Amino acid sequence: MDPFYNTRGAEHLGTWVSRQLSSPWYRIARPSPIGPKITAKLSDGFCGLNVIHVSRLPFEQTGKANWTALLAVLHKRQLLAARTPPFEPAFADNKEGVYVVEIDGVSNVPIESPSWSSLQTRPLVRHGSTACTVISRATLITLLSLSNARCIFRHSGAAGHRAAYASYSGQWYIDWPLGAPAVVHFAAHDSHALAADVYPASFERRIDKCIQMTAGVVVAPESSEFKCAFPGRKPPGIWLLEYQPKGFPAAHGSRHLYNMMGGKVYEVDFLFARGDADEGHLPFQSVRLELPSKETGQAATFCVPWKERQVLAYSMDCLPWSPLSWSVHRGLRDLLIAFSKPTMDKFRKRFAQELRDIVHQTPEKLEARGWEPQFIRESMPDIVFGSVMAGAGDSGDAVRIVTDTALLFWDGPMSGLDETKFWQEQLESPSDDEEPFTPQMIIALTKCFVLEWSIEFDYQIYHDFPTELLFG
């Protein structure tokens, strides 16, 4: 009997039914169905691609196999939503690497279906009622980081391990019963519909930057000389921050994750938190930062000398640009937010007003990016203002709105978004709160906003998983 008898059709494999190997009529035993070989890590990207375009909902036919849903929300190229004129076929033809999708039948723009048909294949494994591909735990953690996942349920006990992660593009579930294989499930959102989605169809994510932020490593974009890792969250007490060149190999915590992902820890500097700090013998020009500690309701005090403040300022300027919030190393988030908060608060209201004003002034530019016209004019200005003023949150939608609005100020190359000079200049010579905004200033404050709205992620999550998992 064929063990895959009910998993070979389009109902189960989606578009991958066309990739199946044919079997001659005289062969009794049929080969196992094939599926994608899915790999993802810092050093290799997602299946060889570092830049991936992510959508919130699937844009092609999916099957019951969960990996078909994942491949339908990850795309090689940018998607543009064809809503109303003036979106014409020529608009897409003039944009290299862009394809247009149709939403709710409101446009006659032809659809070019996204495809991962060039992926390497592997035989699928039958588990329960589904046909699974096999992925590594490094791939799973990369996908969680890529999709901006956060843990909403986790339980380990005598019966095994279970966990659930909510992400921007769907729900992840991991089930590892005692004595059985670990199985990963992914389900696209059922709370949204394409016809009612007012956001651009897709946005860009970079695999290397997602992993670096999850591991707590900031890398200067144009120079390999600055790669700095951050310490984890500490117990209550007084800690002295020390910059240690090439100190990451001796650190505990995210070093193991960074190694697992293909990172070179021996190239990375480290901000070491020394726990035997003496308040009476602190370095000259040290400042005190109050950070969250491992104990709820208690703070950890970090004493930061001048050199380390320069490192923090440079790290803020080198934060990578992202249209979506990060699944971030909490030690990095704690330190950089505490360092940047006085400056951010000084400019926050004017910054929020600048963003609101430009939405009112140039709605047609946002329409060209794929935003729904009525949403731009009626709701977007107030959402932008309120999100910035809130100071923190966990809405990926709000982050997409603010970051796309901030790009209206920027007319330089996209590569220039990854490094600014604002935070270093503010450290050397703080400006007053009436200083006119420049594009660099807008971008620097927007990256700080993204960090404020990023989600803490457990960088030691790899302890929860075996080295290989079934992806059903």
Side-chain angles (χ1 to χ4, degrees):
M1 183 178 177
D2 180 11
F4 294 95
Y5 74 97
N6 61 344
T7 62
R8 295 185 181 274
E11 182 182 1
H12 196 86
L13 300 178
T15 58
W16 274 78
V17 70
S18 63
R19 297 286 309 275
Q20 302 308 305
L21 303 174
S22 59
S23 181
W25 64 270
Y26 53 81
R27 184 171 180 177
I28 298 176
R30 300 183 65 183
S32 300
I34 59 172
K37 182 179 180 181
I38 299 175
T39 59
K41 57 194 305 187
L42 183 150
S43 55
D44 303 323
F46 178 81
C47 299
L49 298 175
N50 185 51
V51 178
I52 294 293
H53 295 272
V54 181
S55 60
R56 176 160 46 182
L57 296 168
F59 275 89
E60 68 173 26
Q61 179 187 359
T62 64
K64 291 182 179 179
N66 295 166
W67 48 265
T68 64
L70 175 70
L71 296 181
V73 297
L74 302 181
H75 314 278
K76 294 181 180 179
R77 294 180 292 170
Q78 180 186 0
L79 284 73
L80 283 175
R83 301 180 187 278
T84 58
F87 276 70
E88 302 292 345
F91 182 86
D93 294 340
N94 293 333
K95 295 280 188 178
E96 183 180 355
V98 175
Y99 58 83
V100 175
V101 296
E102 184 177 2
I103 291 182
D104 200 29
V106 296
S107 173
N108 293 322
V109 178
I111 303 171
E112 179 186 342
S113 176
S115 174
W116 288 102
S117 58
S118 61
L119 288 184
Q120 295 183 39
T121 60
R122 59 168 300 145
L124 297 176
V125 177
R126 178 72 187 235
H127 181 77
S129 60
T130 188
C132 306
T133 188
V134 179
I135 62 173
S136 68
R137 62 180 176 180
T139 294
L140 173 60
I141 296 170
T142 302
L143 294 173
L144 292 173
S145 178
L146 171 68
S147 58
N148 191 209
R150 61 187 176 93
C151 184
I152 56 175
F153 171 78
R154 179 182 178 276
H155 175 75
S156 292
H161 176 80
R162 286 185 176 182
Y165 296 84
S167 78
Y168 190 77
S169 296
Q171 296 279 347
W172 294 89
Y173 306 94
I174 295 96
D175 189 12
W176 187 11
L178 190 66
V183 183
V184 179
H185 305 276
F186 175 79
H189 288 301
D190 60 359
S191 56
H192 300 83
L194 289 178
D197 200 1
V198 297
Y199 300 84
S202 70
F203 55 92
E204 182 181 290
R205 294 288 268 175
R206 292 175 289 175
I207 306 296
D208 57 350
K209 298 304 179 185
C210 290
I211 291 302
Q212 286 166 3
M213 293 298 285
T214 297
V217 178
V218 174
V219 179
E222 300 298 334
S223 171
S224 60
E225 295 180 0
F226 183 80
K227 297 180 180 180
C228 187
F230 283 69
R233 185 170 289 175
K234 299 299 181 183
I238 299 176
W239 304 81
L240 177 64
L241 202 63
E242 291 183 1
Y243 178 66
Q244 298 182 343
K246 303 300 181 285
F248 199 29
H252 178 70
S254 62
R255 165 176 61 93
H256 304 292
L257 176 63
Y258 197 67
N259 259 330
M260 184 186 301
M261 294 298 176
K264 300 175 180 178
V265 295
Y266 53 83
E267 296 179 346
V268 183
D269 304 334
F270 186 60
L271 284 170
F272 176 64
R274 185 176 297 282
D276 55 356
D278 184 354
E279 283 195 274
H281 298 84
L282 293 178
F284 180 63
Q285 289 187 317
S286 293
V287 298
R288 296 163 66 98
L289 299 178
E290 299 295 319
L291 275 61
S293 74
K294 291 183 176 180
E295 303 296 330
T296 304
Q298 299 185 52
T301 300
F302 274 63
C303 299
V304 187
W306 174 252
K307 179 180 179 180
E308 283 68 21
R309 287 160 63 196
Q310 290 178 312
V311 172
L312 293 180
Y314 191 37
S315 298
M316 285 295 300
D317 278 325
C318 291
L319 285 177
W321 178 262
S322 173
L324 189 69
S325 46
W326 304 104
S327 293
V328 71
H329 182 286
R330 66 183 185 180
L332 178 149
R333 183 177 181 272
D334 290 347
L335 261 173
L336 291 185
I337 286 181
F339 172 77
S340 62
K341 184 173 175 56
T343 302
M344 183 68 178
D345 287 346
K346 180 170 65 173
F347 293 107
R348 189 180 300 276
K349 189 171 183 178
R350 286 183 56 231
F351 172 51
Q353 187 62 48
E354 286 282 328
L355 295 181
R356 178 158 63 180
D357 289 345
I358 201 169
V359 175
H360 283 305
Q361 294 163 8
T362 57
E364 68 284 350
K365 292 184 179 180
L366 291 166
E367 286 184 48
R369 295 177 183 270
W371 294 88
E372 199 274 327
Q374 185 176 358
F375 171 77
I376 297 170
R377 290 163 175 81
E378 294 183 358
S379 303
M380 197 167 182
D382 291 334
I383 294 176
V384 167
F385 185 86
S387 299
V388 174
M389 292 302 297
D394 60 4
S395 169
D397 287 340
V399 174
R400 288 185 66 188
I401 292 171
V402 171
T403 53
D404 237 23
T405 301
L407 286 178
L408 297 175
F409 292 89
W410 184 255
D411 57 3
M414 294 300 288
S415 59
L417 297 170
D418 284 340
E419 185 171 2
T420 63
K421 300 294 184 183
F422 172 75
W423 296 101
Q424 297 167 80
E425 292 171 353
Q426 289 296 309
L427 180 65
E428 297 290 342
S429 179
S431 58
D432 61 65
D433 57 1
E434 296 301 322
E435 179 183 357
F437 282 107
T438 64
Q440 278 251 341
M441 193 172 176
I442 293 288
I443 296 304
L445 293 174
T446 303
K447 292 196 291 183
C448 183
F449 163 83
V450 173
L451 190 64
E452 289 179 331
W453 282 64
S454 291
I455 298 166
E456 294 178 5
F457 192 81
D458 182 6
Y459 51 80
Q460 294 188 334
I461 191 177
Y462 54 86
H463 291 305
D464 291 341
F465 310 133
T467 54
E468 287 192 337
L469 306 93
L470 299 180
F471 188 4

